[in-house]
CSV table of all heavy atoms in Angstrom, one decimal:
chain,number,residue,atom,x,y,z
A,1319,MET,N,75.5,119.3,105.1
A,1319,MET,CA,75.6,118.0,104.3
A,1319,MET,C,74.6,118.1,103.2
A,1319,MET,O,73.4,118.4,103.4
A,1319,MET,CB,75.3,116.9,105.2
A,1319,MET,CG,75.8,115.6,104.7
A,1319,MET,SD,75.7,114.4,106.1
A,1319,MET,CE,75.5,112.9,105.2
A,1320,SER,N,75.0,117.9,101.9
A,1320,SER,CA,74.0,118.0,100.8
A,1320,SER,C,73.2,116.8,100.7
A,1320,SER,O,73.7,115.7,100.8
A,1320,SER,CB,74.8,118.4,99.5
A,1320,SER,OG,75.7,117.4,99.3
A,1321,ALA,N,71.9,116.9,100.4
A,1321,ALA,CA,71.0,115.8,100.4
A,1321,ALA,C,71.4,114.9,99.2
A,1321,ALA,O,71.5,115.3,98.1
A,1321,ALA,CB,69.6,116.3,100.2
A,1322,GLY,N,71.5,113.6,99.5
A,1322,GLY,CA,71.7,112.6,98.5
A,1322,GLY,C,73.1,112.5,97.9
A,1322,GLY,O,73.4,111.7,97.1
A,1323,SER,N,74.0,113.3,98.3
A,1323,SER,CA,75.3,113.4,97.6
A,1323,SER,C,76.2,112.1,97.9
A,1323,SER,O,77.0,111.7,97.1
A,1323,SER,CB,76.1,114.6,98.0
A,1323,SER,OG,76.4,114.6,99.4
A,1324,ASN,N,76.0,111.5,99.1
A,1324,ASN,CA,76.8,110.3,99.5
A,1324,ASN,C,76.0,109.0,99.4
A,1324,ASN,O,76.5,108.0,99.8
A,1324,ASN,CB,77.4,110.6,100.9
A,1324,ASN,CG,78.3,111.7,100.9
A,1324,ASN,OD1,78.9,112.1,99.9
A,1324,ASN,ND2,78.4,112.4,102.1
A,1325,ASP,N,74.8,109.1,98.9
A,1325,ASP,CA,74.0,107.9,98.9
A,1325,ASP,C,74.5,106.7,98.1
A,1325,ASP,O,74.3,105.6,98.4
A,1325,ASP,CB,72.6,108.2,98.4
A,1325,ASP,CG,71.8,109.1,99.4
A,1325,ASP,OD1,72.2,109.2,100.6
A,1325,ASP,OD2,70.8,109.7,99.0
A,1326,ASP,N,75.3,107.0,97.0
A,1326,ASP,CA,75.8,106.0,96.1
A,1326,ASP,C,77.2,105.5,96.5
A,1326,ASP,O,77.7,104.6,95.9
A,1326,ASP,CB,75.8,106.5,94.7
A,1326,ASP,CG,74.4,106.8,94.2
A,1326,ASP,OD1,73.5,106.2,94.6
A,1326,ASP,OD2,74.3,107.7,93.3
A,1327,LEU,N,77.7,106.0,97.6
A,1327,LEU,CA,79.1,105.6,98.0
A,1327,LEU,C,79.0,104.4,99.0
A,1327,LEU,O,78.0,104.4,99.8
A,1327,LEU,CB,79.8,106.8,98.7
A,1327,LEU,CG,80.1,108.0,97.9
A,1327,LEU,CD1,80.7,109.1,98.7
A,1327,LEU,CD2,81.0,107.6,96.7
A,1328,PRO,N,79.9,103.5,98.9
A,1328,PRO,CA,79.9,102.4,99.8
A,1328,PRO,C,80.1,102.8,101.2
A,1328,PRO,O,80.8,103.8,101.5
A,1328,PRO,CB,81.0,101.4,99.3
A,1328,PRO,CG,81.8,102.2,98.3
A,1328,PRO,CD,81.0,103.4,97.9
A,1329,GLU,N,79.6,102.1,102.2
A,1329,GLU,CA,79.9,102.4,103.6
A,1329,GLU,C,81.3,101.9,103.9
A,1329,GLU,O,81.7,100.8,103.7
A,1329,GLU,CB,78.9,101.6,104.4
A,1329,GLU,CG,78.6,102.3,105.8
A,1329,GLU,CD,77.4,101.7,106.5
A,1329,GLU,OE1,76.3,101.6,105.8
A,1329,GLU,OE2,77.6,101.3,107.6
A,1330,ARG,N,82.1,102.8,104.5
A,1330,ARG,CA,83.5,102.6,104.9
A,1330,ARG,C,83.7,103.0,106.3
A,1330,ARG,O,83.0,103.9,106.8
A,1330,ARG,CB,84.4,103.4,103.9
A,1330,ARG,CG,84.2,103.2,102.5
A,1330,ARG,CD,85.2,102.3,101.9
A,1330,ARG,NE,85.2,102.3,100.4
A,1330,ARG,CZ,85.2,101.2,99.7
A,1330,ARG,NH1,85.3,100.0,100.3
A,1330,ARG,NH2,85.2,101.2,98.4
A,1331,PRO,N,84.8,102.5,106.9
A,1331,PRO,CA,85.2,103.1,108.2
A,1331,PRO,C,85.6,104.5,108.0
A,1331,PRO,O,85.8,105.0,106.9
A,1331,PRO,CB,86.4,102.2,108.6
A,1331,PRO,CG,86.3,101.0,107.8
A,1331,PRO,CD,85.6,101.4,106.5
A,1332,ASP,N,85.6,105.3,109.1
A,1332,ASP,CA,86.0,106.7,109.1
A,1332,ASP,C,87.3,106.9,108.4
A,1332,ASP,O,87.6,108.0,107.8
A,1332,ASP,CB,86.0,107.3,110.5
A,1332,ASP,CG,84.6,107.4,111.0
A,1332,ASP,OD1,83.6,107.4,110.3
A,1332,ASP,OD2,84.4,107.4,112.3
A,1333,THR,N,88.2,106.0,108.6
A,1333,THR,CA,89.6,106.2,108.1
A,1333,THR,C,90.2,104.8,107.8
A,1333,THR,O,89.8,103.8,108.4
A,1333,THR,CB,90.5,106.9,109.1
A,1333,THR,OG1,91.8,107.0,108.6
A,1333,THR,CG2,90.5,106.3,110.4
A,1334,PRO,N,91.1,104.7,106.8
A,1334,PRO,CA,91.8,103.4,106.5
A,1334,PRO,C,92.9,103.1,107.5
A,1334,PRO,O,93.5,102.1,107.4
A,1334,PRO,CB,92.3,103.6,105.1
A,1334,PRO,CG,92.3,105.0,104.8
A,1334,PRO,CD,91.3,105.7,105.8
A,1335,CYS,N,93.2,104.0,108.5
A,1335,CYS,CA,94.3,103.9,109.4
A,1335,CYS,C,94.1,102.6,110.2
A,1335,CYS,O,93.0,102.3,110.7
A,1335,CYS,CB,94.3,105.1,110.3
A,1335,CYS,SG,95.7,104.9,111.5
A,1336,VAL,N,95.2,101.8,110.3
A,1336,VAL,CA,95.2,100.6,111.1
A,1336,VAL,C,96.2,100.7,112.2
A,1336,VAL,O,96.6,99.6,112.8
A,1336,VAL,CB,95.4,99.3,110.2
A,1336,VAL,CG1,94.2,99.1,109.3
A,1336,VAL,CG2,96.7,99.5,109.4
A,1337,ALA,N,96.7,101.9,112.5
A,1337,ALA,CA,97.7,102.1,113.6
A,1337,ALA,C,99.0,101.4,113.4
A,1337,ALA,O,99.7,101.0,114.3
A,1337,ALA,CB,97.1,101.8,115.0
A,1338,VAL,N,99.4,101.2,112.1
A,1338,VAL,CA,100.7,100.7,111.7
A,1338,VAL,C,101.3,101.8,110.8
A,1338,VAL,O,101.4,101.6,109.6
A,1338,VAL,CB,100.5,99.4,111.0
A,1338,VAL,CG1,101.9,98.8,110.6
A,1338,VAL,CG2,99.8,98.3,111.7
A,1339,CYS,N,101.6,102.9,111.5
A,1339,CYS,CA,102.0,104.1,110.7
A,1339,CYS,C,103.5,104.1,110.4
A,1339,CYS,O,104.2,104.1,111.4
A,1339,CYS,CB,101.6,105.4,111.5
A,1339,CYS,SG,99.8,105.4,112.0
A,1340,SER,N,103.8,104.2,109.2
A,1340,SER,CA,105.2,104.3,108.9
A,1340,SER,C,105.4,104.8,107.4
A,1340,SER,O,104.9,104.2,106.5
A,1340,SER,CB,105.9,102.9,109.0
A,1340,SER,OG,107.3,103.0,108.5
A,1341,THR,N,106.1,105.9,107.3
A,1341,THR,CA,106.5,106.4,106.0
A,1341,THR,C,108.0,106.6,106.0
A,1341,THR,O,108.5,107.6,105.3
A,1341,THR,CB,105.7,107.8,105.7
A,1341,THR,OG1,106.0,108.7,106.8
A,1341,THR,CG2,104.2,107.5,105.6
A,1342,THR,N,108.7,105.8,106.7
A,1342,THR,CA,110.1,105.9,106.8
A,1342,THR,C,110.9,105.9,105.5
A,1342,THR,O,111.8,106.7,105.3
A,1342,THR,CB,110.7,104.8,107.7
A,1342,THR,OG1,110.0,104.8,109.0
A,1342,THR,CG2,112.2,104.9,108.0
A,1343,PHE,N,110.5,105.1,104.6
A,1343,PHE,CA,111.3,104.9,103.4
A,1343,PHE,C,110.7,105.5,102.1
A,1343,PHE,O,111.4,105.6,101.1
A,1343,PHE,CB,111.6,103.4,103.1
A,1343,PHE,CG,112.4,102.8,104.2
A,1343,PHE,CD1,111.8,101.9,105.1
A,1343,PHE,CD2,113.7,103.1,104.5
A,1343,PHE,CE1,112.5,101.3,106.1
A,1343,PHE,CE2,114.4,102.6,105.5
A,1343,PHE,CZ,113.8,101.7,106.4
A,1344,ASP,N,109.5,106.0,102.2
A,1344,ASP,CA,108.8,106.6,101.1
A,1344,ASP,C,107.7,107.5,101.6
A,1344,ASP,O,107.5,107.6,102.8
A,1344,ASP,CB,108.4,105.6,100.0
A,1344,ASP,CG,107.5,104.5,100.5
A,1344,ASP,OD1,106.7,104.8,101.5
A,1344,ASP,OD2,107.5,103.4,100.0
A,1345,ASP,N,106.9,108.0,100.7
A,1345,ASP,CA,105.7,108.8,101.0
A,1345,ASP,C,104.4,108.1,101.2
A,1345,ASP,O,103.4,108.7,101.2
A,1345,ASP,CB,105.6,109.9,100.0
A,1345,ASP,CG,106.7,111.0,100.1
A,1345,ASP,OD1,107.3,111.1,101.1
A,1345,ASP,OD2,106.9,111.6,99.0
A,1346,VAL,N,104.5,106.8,101.2
A,1346,VAL,CA,103.3,106.0,101.4
A,1346,VAL,C,103.3,105.2,102.7
A,1346,VAL,O,104.3,104.6,103.0
A,1346,VAL,CB,103.1,105.0,100.2
A,1346,VAL,CG1,101.9,104.1,100.4
A,1346,VAL,CG2,103.0,105.7,98.9
A,1347,CYS,N,102.2,105.3,103.5
A,1347,CYS,CA,102.2,104.6,104.8
A,1347,CYS,C,102.1,103.1,104.5
A,1347,CYS,O,101.3,102.6,103.7
A,1347,CYS,CB,100.9,105.1,105.5
A,1347,CYS,SG,100.8,104.2,107.1
A,1348,ARG,N,103.0,102.4,105.3
A,1348,ARG,CA,103.0,100.9,105.1
A,1348,ARG,C,101.8,100.3,105.7
A,1348,ARG,O,101.5,99.1,105.4
A,1348,ARG,CB,104.2,100.4,105.9
A,1348,ARG,CG,105.5,100.8,105.3
A,1348,ARG,CD,106.6,100.3,106.2
A,1348,ARG,NE,107.8,100.0,105.4
A,1348,ARG,CZ,108.9,99.5,105.8
A,1348,ARG,NH1,108.9,99.0,107.0
A,1348,ARG,NH2,109.9,99.3,105.0
A,1349,GLY,N,101.0,100.9,106.6
A,1349,GLY,CA,99.8,100.4,107.2
A,1349,GLY,C,98.6,100.6,106.3
A,1349,GLY,O,97.9,99.6,105.9
A,1350,CYS,N,98.3,101.8,106.0
A,1350,CYS,CA,97.0,102.1,105.3
A,1350,CYS,C,97.2,102.4,103.8
A,1350,CYS,O,96.2,102.3,103.0
A,1350,CYS,CB,96.3,103.3,105.9
A,1350,CYS,SG,97.2,104.9,105.6
A,1351,GLY,N,98.4,102.6,103.3
A,1351,GLY,CA,98.6,102.8,101.9
A,1351,GLY,C,98.4,104.2,101.4
A,1351,GLY,O,98.5,104.5,100.2
A,1352,ARG,N,98.0,105.1,102.3
A,1352,ARG,CA,97.8,106.5,101.9
A,1352,ARG,C,99.1,107.3,101.8
A,1352,ARG,O,100.1,106.9,102.5
A,1352,ARG,CB,96.9,107.3,102.8
A,1352,ARG,CG,95.4,106.8,102.9
A,1352,ARG,CD,94.6,107.5,103.9
A,1352,ARG,NE,95.1,107.2,105.2
A,1352,ARG,CZ,94.7,107.8,106.3
A,1352,ARG,NH1,93.8,108.8,106.2
A,1352,ARG,NH2,95.1,107.4,107.5
A,1353,THR,N,99.1,108.3,100.9
A,1353,THR,CA,100.3,109.1,100.9
A,1353,THR,C,100.3,110.1,102.1
A,1353,THR,O,99.3,110.3,102.8
A,1353,THR,CB,100.3,110.0,99.6
A,1353,THR,OG1,99.2,110.9,99.7
A,1353,THR,CG2,100.2,109.1,98.3
A,1354,VAL,N,101.5,110.7,102.3
A,1354,VAL,CA,101.6,111.6,103.4
A,1354,VAL,C,100.6,112.8,103.3
A,1354,VAL,O,99.9,113.2,104.2
A,1354,VAL,CB,103.0,112.2,103.5
A,1354,VAL,CG1,103.2,113.3,104.5
A,1354,VAL,CG2,104.0,111.1,103.8
A,1355,VAL,N,100.4,113.2,102.0
A,1355,VAL,CA,99.5,114.3,101.8
A,1355,VAL,C,98.0,113.9,102.0
A,1355,VAL,O,97.2,114.6,102.6
A,1355,VAL,CB,99.6,114.8,100.3
A,1355,VAL,CG1,98.5,115.8,99.9
A,1355,VAL,CG2,101.0,115.4,100.1
A,1356,GLU,N,97.7,112.6,101.6
A,1356,GLU,CA,96.3,112.1,101.9
A,1356,GLU,C,96.1,112.0,103.4
A,1356,GLU,O,95.0,112.3,103.8
A,1356,GLU,CB,96.1,110.8,101.2
A,1356,GLU,CG,96.1,110.9,99.7
A,1356,GLU,CD,96.2,109.6,99.0
A,1356,GLU,OE1,96.7,108.6,99.5
A,1356,GLU,OE2,95.8,109.5,97.8
A,1357,VAL,N,97.0,111.5,104.1
A,1357,VAL,CA,96.9,111.4,105.6
A,1357,VAL,C,96.7,112.8,106.2
A,1357,VAL,O,95.8,113.0,107.0
A,1357,VAL,CB,98.1,110.7,106.2
A,1357,VAL,CG1,98.0,110.8,107.8
A,1357,VAL,CG2,98.2,109.3,105.8
A,1358,ALA,N,97.5,113.8,105.8
A,1358,ALA,CA,97.4,115.1,106.3
A,1358,ALA,C,96.1,115.8,106.0
A,1358,ALA,O,95.6,116.6,106.8
A,1358,ALA,CB,98.6,115.9,105.8
A,1359,HIS,N,95.5,115.5,104.8
A,1359,HIS,CA,94.3,116.2,104.4
A,1359,HIS,C,93.0,115.4,104.6
A,1359,HIS,O,91.9,115.9,104.2
A,1359,HIS,CB,94.4,116.7,103.0
A,1359,HIS,CG,95.5,117.7,102.8
A,1359,HIS,ND1,95.4,119.0,103.1
A,1359,HIS,CD2,96.8,117.6,102.3
A,1359,HIS,CE1,96.5,119.7,102.9
A,1359,HIS,NE2,97.3,118.8,102.4
A,1360,TRP,N,93.1,114.2,105.1
A,1360,TRP,CA,92.0,113.3,105.2
A,1360,TRP,C,90.8,113.9,105.8
A,1360,TRP,O,89.7,113.8,105.3
A,1360,TRP,CB,92.4,112.0,106.0
A,1360,TRP,CG,91.3,111.0,105.9
A,1360,TRP,CD1,90.4,110.6,106.9
A,1360,TRP,CD2,91.1,110.1,104.9
A,1360,TRP,NE1,89.6,109.6,106.5
A,1360,TRP,CE2,90.0,109.3,105.2
A,1360,TRP,CE3,91.6,109.9,103.6
A,1360,TRP,CZ2,89.5,108.3,104.4
A,1360,TRP,CZ3,91.1,108.9,102.8
A,1360,TRP,CH2,90.1,108.1,103.2
A,1361,VAL,N,90.9,114.6,106.9
A,1361,VAL,CA,89.7,115.2,107.6
A,1361,VAL,C,89.0,116.3,106.8
A,1361,VAL,O,87.8,116.5,107.0
A,1361,VAL,CB,90.1,115.7,109.0
A,1361,VAL,CG1,90.5,114.6,109.9
A,1361,VAL,CG2,91.1,116.8,108.9
A,1362,SER,N,89.7,116.9,105.9
A,1362,SER,CA,89.1,117.9,105.1
A,1362,SER,C,88.7,117.5,103.7
A,1362,SER,O,88.1,118.2,102.9
A,1362,SER,CB,90.0,119.2,104.9
A,1362,SER,OG,91.2,118.8,104.2
A,1363,MET,N,88.9,116.2,103.3
A,1363,MET,CA,88.5,115.7,102.0
A,1363,MET,C,87.1,115.4,102.0
A,1363,MET,O,86.4,115.1,103.0
A,1363,MET,CB,89.3,114.4,101.7
A,1363,MET,CG,90.8,114.6,101.6
A,1363,MET,SD,91.8,113.0,101.5
A,1363,MET,CE,91.3,112.5,99.9
A,1364,THR,N,86.5,115.5,100.8
A,1364,THR,CA,85.1,115.2,100.6
A,1364,THR,C,84.9,113.6,100.6
A,1364,THR,O,85.9,112.9,100.4
A,1364,THR,CB,84.5,115.7,99.3
A,1364,THR,OG1,85.2,115.0,98.2
A,1364,THR,CG2,84.7,117.2,99.1
A,1365,ALA,N,83.7,113.2,100.8
A,1365,ALA,CA,83.4,111.8,100.8
A,1365,ALA,C,83.8,111.2,99.4
A,1365,ALA,O,84.4,110.0,99.4
A,1365,ALA,CB,81.9,111.5,101.0
A,1366,GLU,N,83.6,111.9,98.3
A,1366,GLU,CA,84.0,111.4,97.0
A,1366,GLU,C,85.5,111.3,96.9
A,1366,GLU,O,86.0,110.3,96.3
A,1366,GLU,CB,83.5,112.3,95.9
A,1366,GLU,CG,82.0,112.2,95.8
A,1366,GLU,CD,81.2,113.1,96.8
A,1366,GLU,OE1,81.8,113.9,97.6
A,1366,GLU,OE2,80.0,113.0,96.9
A,1367,GLN,N,86.3,112.2,97.4
A,1367,GLN,CA,87.7,112.2,97.4
A,1367,GLN,C,88.2,111.0,98.2
A,1367,GLN,O,89.1,110.3,97.8
A,1367,GLN,CB,88.4,113.5,97.9
A,1367,GLN,CG,88.1,114.7,97.0
A,1367,GLN,CD,88.5,116.0,97.6
A,1367,GLN,OE1,88.3,116.2,98.8
A,1367,GLN,NE2,89.1,116.9,96.8
A,1368,LYS,N,87.7,110.8,99.4
A,1368,LYS,CA,88.0,109.7,100.2
A,1368,LYS,C,87.8,108.4,99.5
A,1368,LYS,O,88.6,107.4,99.6
A,1368,LYS,CB,87.3,109.7,101.6
A,1368,LYS,CG,87.8,110.9,102.5
A,1368,LYS,CD,86.9,110.9,103.7
A,1368,LYS,CE,87.4,112.0,104.6
A,1368,LYS,NZ,86.6,112.1,105.9
A,1369,GLU,N,86.6,108.3,98.9
A,1369,GLU,CA,86.3,107.0,98.2
A,1369,GLU,C,87.3,106.7,97.1
A,1369,GLU,O,87.7,105.5,96.9
A,1369,GLU,CB,84.9,107.1,97.6
A,1369,GLU,CG,84.4,105.9,96.8
A,1369,GLU,CD,84.5,104.6,97.6
A,1369,GLU,OE1,84.4,104.6,98.9
A,1369,GLU,OE2,84.5,103.5,97.0
A,1370,LEU,N,87.8,107.7,96.4
A,1370,LEU,CA,88.8,107.5,95.4
A,1370,LEU,C,90.1,106.9,96.0
A,1370,LEU,O,90.7,106.0,95.5
A,1370,LEU,CB,89.2,108.7,94.6
A,1370,LEU,CG,88.1,109.2,93.7
A,1370,LEU,CD1,88.4,110.6,93.1
A,1370,LEU,CD2,87.8,108.2,92.6
A,1371,VAL,N,90.5,107.4,97.2
A,1371,VAL,CA,91.6,106.9,97.9
A,1371,VAL,C,91.3,105.5,98.3
A,1371,VAL,O,92.2,104.6,98.2
A,1371,VAL,CB,92.0,107.8,99.1
A,1371,VAL,CG1,93.1,107.2,99.9
A,1371,VAL,CG2,92.4,109.2,98.7
A,1372,TRP,N,90.2,105.2,98.9
A,1372,TRP,CA,89.8,103.9,99.3
A,1372,TRP,C,89.9,102.9,98.2
A,1372,TRP,O,90.4,101.8,98.3
A,1372,TRP,CB,88.4,103.9,99.9
A,1372,TRP,CG,88.3,104.1,101.4
A,1372,TRP,CD1,87.8,105.2,102.0
A,1372,TRP,CD2,88.6,103.2,102.4
A,1372,TRP,NE1,87.8,105.1,103.3
A,1372,TRP,CE2,88.3,103.9,103.6
A,1372,TRP,CE3,89.1,101.9,102.4
A,1372,TRP,CZ2,88.5,103.3,104.9
A,1372,TRP,CZ3,89.3,101.3,103.7
A,1372,TRP,CH2,89.1,102.0,104.9
A,1373,GLN,N,89.4,103.3,97.0
A,1373,GLN,CA,89.4,102.3,95.9
A,1373,GLN,C,90.9,102.0,95.5
A,1373,GLN,O,91.2,100.9,95.2
A,1373,GLN,CB,88.7,103.0,94.7
A,1373,GLN,CG,87.2,103.0,94.9
A,1373,GLN,CD,86.5,103.7,93.8
A,1373,GLN,OE1,87.0,103.9,92.7
A,1373,GLN,NE2,85.2,104.0,94.0
A,1374,ARG,N,91.7,103.0,95.5
A,1374,ARG,CA,93.1,102.8,95.1
A,1374,ARG,C,93.8,101.9,96.1
A,1374,ARG,O,94.5,100.9,95.8
A,1374,ARG,CB,93.9,104.1,95.0
A,1374,ARG,CG,95.3,103.9,94.4
A,1374,ARG,CD,96.2,105.1,94.5
A,1374,ARG,NE,96.7,105.2,95.9
A,1374,ARG,CZ,96.5,106.1,96.8
A,1374,ARG,NH1,95.7,107.1,96.5
A,1374,ARG,NH2,97.0,106.0,98.0
A,1375,ILE,N,93.7,102.2,97.4
A,1375,ILE,CA,94.4,101.5,98.4
A,1375,ILE,C,93.9,100.0,98.5
A,1375,ILE,O,94.7,99.1,98.7
A,1375,ILE,CB,94.5,102.2,99.8
A,1375,ILE,CG1,93.1,102.3,100.4
A,1375,ILE,CG2,95.2,103.5,99.7
A,1375,ILE,CD1,93.1,102.9,101.8
A,1376,LEU,N,92.6,99.8,98.4
A,1376,LEU,CA,92.1,98.4,98.4
A,1376,LEU,C,92.6,97.6,97.2
A,1376,LEU,O,93.0,96.5,97.4
A,1376,LEU,CB,90.6,98.5,98.4
A,1376,LEU,CG,89.9,98.9,99.7
A,1376,LEU,CD1,88.4,99.1,99.6
A,1376,LEU,CD2,90.3,98.0,100.9
A,1377,ALA,N,92.7,98.3,96.0
A,1377,ALA,CA,93.2,97.6,94.9
A,1377,ALA,C,94.7,97.2,95.0
A,1377,ALA,O,95.2,96.3,94.4
A,1377,ALA,CB,93.0,98.5,93.6
A,1378,GLN,N,95.4,98.0,95.8
A,1378,GLN,CA,96.8,97.8,96.1
A,1378,GLN,C,97.1,96.8,97.3
A,1378,GLN,O,98.2,96.6,97.6
A,1378,GLN,CB,97.5,99.1,96.3
A,1378,GLN,CG,97.5,100.0,95.1
A,1378,GLN,CD,98.1,101.4,95.4
A,1378,GLN,OE1,98.2,101.8,96.5
A,1378,GLN,NE2,98.5,102.1,94.3
A,1379,GLY,N,96.0,96.3,97.9
A,1379,GLY,CA,96.2,95.4,99.0
A,1379,GLY,C,96.3,96.0,100.4
A,1379,GLY,O,96.7,95.3,101.3
A,1380,TYR,N,95.9,97.2,100.5
A,1380,TYR,CA,95.9,97.9,101.8
A,1380,TYR,C,94.4,97.9,102.3
A,1380,TYR,O,93.5,97.7,101.5
A,1380,TYR,CB,96.4,99.3,101.7
A,1380,TYR,CG,97.8,99.4,101.3
A,1380,TYR,CD1,98.2,99.6,100.0
A,1380,TYR,CD2,98.8,99.4,102.4
A,1380,TYR,CE1,99.6,99.7,99.7
A,1380,TYR,CE2,100.1,99.6,102.1
A,1380,TYR,CZ,100.5,99.7,100.8
A,1380,TYR,OH,101.9,99.8,100.5
A,1381,PRO,N,94.2,98.2,103.6
A,1381,PRO,CA,95.2,98.4,104.7
A,1381,PRO,C,95.8,97.0,105.1
A,1381,PRO,O,95.2,96.0,104.9
A,1381,PRO,CB,94.3,98.9,105.8
A,1381,PRO,CG,92.9,99.1,105.3
A,1381,PRO,CD,92.8,98.5,104.0
A,1382,ARG,N,97.0,97.2,105.6
A,1382,ARG,CA,97.8,96.0,106.0
A,1382,ARG,C,98.1,96.2,107.5
A,1382,ARG,O,98.7,97.2,107.9
A,1382,ARG,CB,99.1,95.9,105.3
A,1382,ARG,CG,98.9,95.7,103.8
A,1382,ARG,CD,100.2,95.7,103.1
A,1382,ARG,NE,100.0,95.6,101.7
A,1382,ARG,CZ,100.9,95.9,100.7
A,1382,ARG,NH1,102.1,96.4,101.1
A,1382,ARG,NH2,100.6,95.8,99.5
A,1383,ARG,N,97.8,95.2,108.3
A,1383,ARG,CA,98.0,95.3,109.7
A,1383,ARG,C,99.3,94.8,110.2
A,1383,ARG,O,99.8,95.2,111.2
A,1383,ARG,CB,96.8,94.6,110.5
A,1383,ARG,CG,95.5,95.2,110.3
A,1383,ARG,CD,94.4,94.6,111.2
A,1383,ARG,NE,93.2,95.2,110.9
A,1383,ARG,CZ,92.7,96.4,111.3
A,1383,ARG,NH1,93.5,97.1,112.1
A,1383,ARG,NH2,91.5,96.8,111.0
A,1384,ASN,N,99.9,93.8,109.5
A,1384,ASN,CA,101.1,93.2,110.0
A,1384,ASN,C,102.3,93.3,109.1
A,1384,ASN,O,103.1,92.3,109.0
A,1384,ASN,CB,100.8,91.7,110.3
A,1384,ASN,CG,99.8,91.5,111.4
A,1384,ASN,OD1,99.8,92.3,112.4
A,1384,ASN,ND2,98.9,90.6,111.3
A,1385,LYS,N,102.5,94.4,108.5
A,1385,LYS,CA,103.7,94.5,107.6
A,1385,LYS,C,104.4,95.8,107.8
A,1385,LYS,O,104.0,96.7,108.3
A,1385,LYS,CB,103.2,94.5,106.1
A,1385,LYS,CG,102.7,93.1,105.8
A,1385,LYS,CD,102.5,92.9,104.3
A,1385,LYS,CE,102.0,91.5,104.1
A,1385,LYS,NZ,101.8,91.2,102.8
């Protein structure tokens, strides 16, 4: 872990997953709003890459628990 690299990032849960997983009709999960590729690569993404995803999905109204 590099010193100070994540100090400016907001504190977030480990994953946006809300256990409402569905990509039946498109490549975006109906629960968390991530793409199939983002879900598949989440564990290997940097904190900065994850933060960009978080910013996008929050702006789009995700995560959604009951939809």
Side-chain angles (χ1 to χ4, degrees):
M1319 202 168 155
S1320 57
S1323 64
N1324 297 331
D1325 290 346
D1326 296 332
L1327 297 177
E1329 206 168 307
R1330 305 258 192 227
D1332 291 335
T1333 176
C1335 181
V1336 292
V1338 182
C1339 307
S1340 174
T1341 55
T1342 304
F1343 300 108
D1344 55 30
D1345 288 335
V1346 176
C1347 178
R1348 292 175 154 190
C1350 70
R1352 293 178 294 170
T1353 66
V1354 172
V1355 172
E1356 290 166 341
V1357 171
H1359 295 285
W1360 188 258
V1361 296
S1362 63
M1363 293 170 74
T1364 67
E1366 291 80 9
Q1367 291 169 323
K1368 290 178 181 180
E1369 179 58 23
L1370 290 174
V1371 174
W1372 271 107
Q1373 289 175 15
R1374 189 194 80 247
I1375 64 176
L1376 290 171
Q1378 294 173 343
Y1380 291 95
R1382 299 177 182 161
R1383 295 190 184 277
N1384 295 319
K1385 293 192 179 185

